[in-house]
Structure formats: C-alpha cells, structure tokens
Amino acid sequence: MLSRKYVETFFEEKIDRHIPHLSVDCVIFGFHGADLKVLLLKWKGFDRWALPGGYVERRESLDAAAQKVLLARTGLRRVHLRQFHAFGGLNRKEASVRKLFAGVGVKVPDDTWPLHRVVSIGYYALVDYWKVRPGHDFMSDSCMWCSADELPPLAFDHRDVIRVARETLRESLASPHIAATLLPERFTMPELQRLHEAILSRELDRRNFQKRMLESGMLERLPDRRTGGAHRAPYLYRFKVERAGLSD
Amino acid sequence: MLSRKYVETFFEEKIDRHIPHLSVDCVIFGFHGADLKVLLLKWKGFDRWALPGGYVERRESLDAAAQKVLLARTGLRRVHLRQFHAFGGLNRKEASVRKLFAGVGVKVPDDTWPLHRVVSIGYYALVDYWKVRPGHDFMSDSCMWCSADELPPLAFDHRDVIRVARETLRESLASPHIAATLLPERFTMPELQRLHEAILSRELDRRNFQKRMLESGMLERLPDRRTGGAHRAPYLYRFKVERAGLSD
C-alpha cells in the first residue's frame, strides 16, 4: 500500500531504485454471477480508471514485481499469475502519468522517465472472486471489480492490455487449471458452462458442452447434489487436477 | 550489419540512444530434413553461441526492434514474428557482455547498463529455411542453423529462451499458419508429419495423423503428385489458409 509520504518523495528519493522505462501491469480476472470481472483502480482526482501496476526494482524479478502488485490489491499471496505480453508501442500515453500524480498533489519532474517511454510487462491473474479484499490507498479512491464487457474509461493503453489478456485467457481455456481457479471447489455443470461462456463471450450449446466436459476426463462427479433451488437439484463436480497452477 | 566503427564507438556515443536495461532476442526457427533448426551466432573470440538480438532505440517499438534483428540475420523482411515472453530474472549472466565485446577488442565501461540488469523481450520467428541467407558481421564469426535438439554451449540464459520459445511453438501447433510458414508451398503428408514430429519431439502414428489433418479441412489436395522417388508417388497438398501470418 502506498502511503502519502512514500508517494510525495517518490520522484526525489526512490525512483532511482527502479529499472527505468519499465513497469508491470496486472489484469486480475474474477468470475461472479455470469460475468467475467476485472479489478480496476480509480486514481484520486483523475478521470480514468487504470489497471493495478508498478515499477520494477533493480534487484527484483519481473515475476516478483507482479506478485507484489497482486498482494497489495487483492490480499492474496499465491495466485495463478501468468505473463502474457510486453507492451512497448511508441505512444502508450505516458504523459498521463503527470495528471495521475497531480490528482494527489505530487508534481512530476519533467526529465523523469515515467513521463517518457515506458515498456510494460503484462501479467494476468485468475483469482477466486470471493477471496479478494480489494485494496485502495493514498493514490486511489477505490479499487473495484468491473465487468470485462462494460469497461469504464481507461488510462494509458489499458483497454488494449485487457483485450490482449482476454484473448490469451480464451486461448488457454483448453487447460482445466484455468476454470479451476475461477470457480469454487465444488460447482455445477451450468456454473462451469457460464464461466466458459463469459470467457468466450458467446453462448454454448448445453448438451455439447456437457458431453465435451464429461469426455475430457477432467471432472469428478461428487456423491451429493446442490439443494435448495426450485429445479431438480443439479449434480456437483470438482476438478480431478490439482487446483490453481501456482507461479511461485 | 554491425561495422567495426559502429561497435568501437557504441559505448561512448550510441548507448544513450537506447532504452536502458532492455533488449530483444530472436529465436529464428527453420525446418530442414526431419529437423527443427535454430539460427545462432558465434561471436568472435567468445566460447559460446548466442541468439541474434539487440538493444531497443528510444523511438522504436519492440516489434520494430525485433524485425530489424530478423532482417540483419536472415535477409527477410516480412516474416511470422511473435513475441512470446519477457525474460527478467535476476541473473541472466549480464556480466558475459564484457567477454563478448572483449572478443573484438572493445572495452565495456564498468558503469554501463548492459553489464548489469537487462530484461529481454523474446520473439520467435518461423522462416522458410531455403529463403534465409544467414548474415554475420564484424562481431560474429558465423551465423548458422543448429539443430534445436542438439544445441551448442549457449551464452546468457539463451538455452532457457529457446526452451520457452519451443514450448510456445508446440502449443501453437493447432494453428495451420505455423506449419504453413515452415514448409514449402506444396508438400507431402510425410513432410507435414515430420514437421509436427520435430516440433513435438515425438513420433506420431501415421494413420491417425493423416486422418486428423484431412478432417481439419485445412488442406487442399493438388492434382499432381510428387514424382522421382523409389516409392509410389505421394500426393501433394497445400494449405487452404493464406500463407504466413505477417506481423507488420
């Protein structure tokens, strides 16, 4: 968490501890209802939302820098975290950094590298929606889940970053680990289908989906059913694989 | 191509044109015989081989930096080029940079960033083996194809970089573009099978492979057959998709 003092003295005292022109950005996905969610920050006095991210210290690996961001924003220590793309175009709107810090009354010196070219290493994380305690701090008014299909106005090139993260997530849906990290341990077939539909942004045929999932051999049907609903109680399943591919 | 004068004055005059602590490395794959090949450089007076790579200019995108390396080493302008991972661990053996330049009599100043932490953005390229004219220059004795299964001693963490590139290539084999860029336009079923086997590093069942490929709908059988061999002349195929996913 960033304190007022840390931020106020960042550009004088701490910037040189970091690798210049480099940052990490984290696209943190969760699943709630039938909706794929992304965790976003609203910076104080700044009219756009942004992905949680940070600079990389000189004696810190990229993975460690991303895990640090995750911990600060979700309270989670061991999460499925995957590097997916480096964003290194020529106009990532680095000048917005000045506005972002102006919102909390910190002046950014003209010659500092965060105002100029920054290459950002994108990571995505898949987290259990219910386990996250979104963390905001001195810089940010709020940190909250937003629908991946209806994003608010975003800073920098963060809309592109989320788009590429989503494409990668879609491609990786073949791996059972993915769904396993976004669902509770026991789930019904309709819940699993809604998750796949949310990631793919399209409806799937119920029978084909169920057939494909059962034939994959990834699922174990549990002896008890979900009760309490108006309909016939659905079977509960869990993944046979170990839950949560851990990156550390 | 690097000239003697360019290299000799690099650390005094040109290093500041580049984004510090950042580089690109290119894993250039070709297919020859039944073998997956990687294009490697042997630096003068240095006992290890290395991937072609370079630093990134301040007014150059990451993709442009990688394309520049490709052009210099293969003579090819439009190739399937894909960014696959950023290598940002804490000990990528950056100190070897000193030995590398010592091989051509260039002294590297102690305080220069290439000797310290460097994050490298990995790209892989799939090229037509027969179209490449490997390019060496003032820094390198030779630039040549090496078997991906029997790599020579490699500098830095380049063995890891090649391993991750190969894993990515393996995962992307589902896309017909991949095979299309590594084969000549017209090919036989055994040639296609050998390519898949080389990428996967394992033998495939001939009948299953042929069945799967034909059912995919990606292939078009041509009216003429390959002639000249001792066996029954095999059918020739080509991909229905457009050849070569171009990145620029």
Side-chain angles (χ1 to χ4, degrees), chain A residues 58 60 83 85-86 117, chain B residues 21 58 60 83 85-86 117:
Chain A
R58 286 174 186 266
E60 180 180 56
Q83 193 204 95
H85 196 74
R117 181 88 185 273
Chain B
H21 303 283
R58 287 173 185 267
E60 180 181 56
Q83 193 205 95
H85 195 74
R117 181 86 186 275

Side-chain angles (χ1 to χ4, degrees), chain B residues 3-19:
Chain B
S3 69
R4 170 181 293 272
K5 177 142 187 291
Y6 187 92
V7 176
E8 282 175 350
T9 58
F10 182 80
F11 291 103
E12 289 82 38
E13 294 173 13
K14 299 167 194 104
I15 185 120
D16 290 341
R17 280 190 220 157
H18 296 83
I19 300 179

